[in-house]
Amino acid sequence: MRNAFTRCRYHMAGEPEGVTAMKLIFAVIRDEDAGKAVKKLNENRFSVTKLMSTGGFLRSGNTTLMIGIDDENVEAVMDILKEECAKRSEIEIAMPYMPGGVPMMNYSYVPIKAEVGGATVFVVDVCDFRKV
């Protein structure tokens, strides 16, 4: 029976099975930051899977990055995400909504100053990794 402190197994085709601590990072970032972040991660030899997603508050496009790495590389990836996905203020034009999410078409749009950018990051343990 495995517990939270057990080192997990990984196996790549053609290589002997090994034991290491691995993590899977899910980073939700703005579409505008995705290209720079993926490029910088790839330059540092981190493989990335990019998924398209949609944000809630500003209803803008987001990108979710999935990054599988060894435990000791978590801080290097976090540093890249901090650098490439920095927070900034931006003026957004929002349509007013009535209760229930129905847009009010007869009213003018409302400018909203919002902090954008940054990343929402989840780091989870991986107990079985196989590359076939």
Side-chain angles (χ1 to χ4, degrees):
M1 177 193 252
R2 292 183 185 212
N3 62 36
F5 302 105
T6 302
R7 290 200 179 271
C8 299
R9 302 201 171 277
Y10 74 93
H11 183 74
M12 292 190 188
E15 295 182 14
E17 189 171 320
V19 178
T20 187
M22 293 197 69
K23 302 290 184 190
L24 179 59
I25 295 178
F26 293 96
V28 181
I29 62 176
R30 286 185 57 110
D31 282 343
E32 293 84 14
D33 298 332
K36 296 183 301 180
V38 169
K39 181 179 179 186
K40 186 75 167 200
L41 288 163
N42 288 160
E43 286 172 357
N44 286 275
R45 301 193 184 276
F46 296 118
S47 297
V48 179
T49 299
K50 183 173 147 179
L51 306 170
M52 303 311 287
S53 55
T54 302
F57 176 63
L58 296 174
R59 291 177 173 73
S60 59
N62 288 333
T63 298
T64 300
L65 304 179
M66 292 177 24
I67 309 156
I69 56 171
D70 291 329
D71 195 35
E72 65 266 7
N73 292 322
V74 170
E75 287 308 313
V77 169
M78 293 300 292
D79 289 342
I80 291 169
L81 292 173
K82 285 177 194 171
E83 180 182 327
E84 300 300 329
C85 306
K87 288 185 179 182
R88 58 206 174 267
S89 290
E90 203 172 271
I91 301 293
E92 296 284 335
I93 305 297
M95 180 185 295
Y97 283 80
M98 294 185 339
V102 178
M104 298 183 331
M105 297 297 202
N106 295 334
Y107 291 89
S108 62
Y109 293 99
V110 178
I112 298 173
K113 185 174 182 178
E115 188 174 78
V116 298
T120 302
V121 182
F122 302 89
V123 180
V124 296
D125 291 324
V126 174
C127 281
D128 191 18
F129 170 74
R130 298 170 192 231
K131 196 164 189 173
V132 293

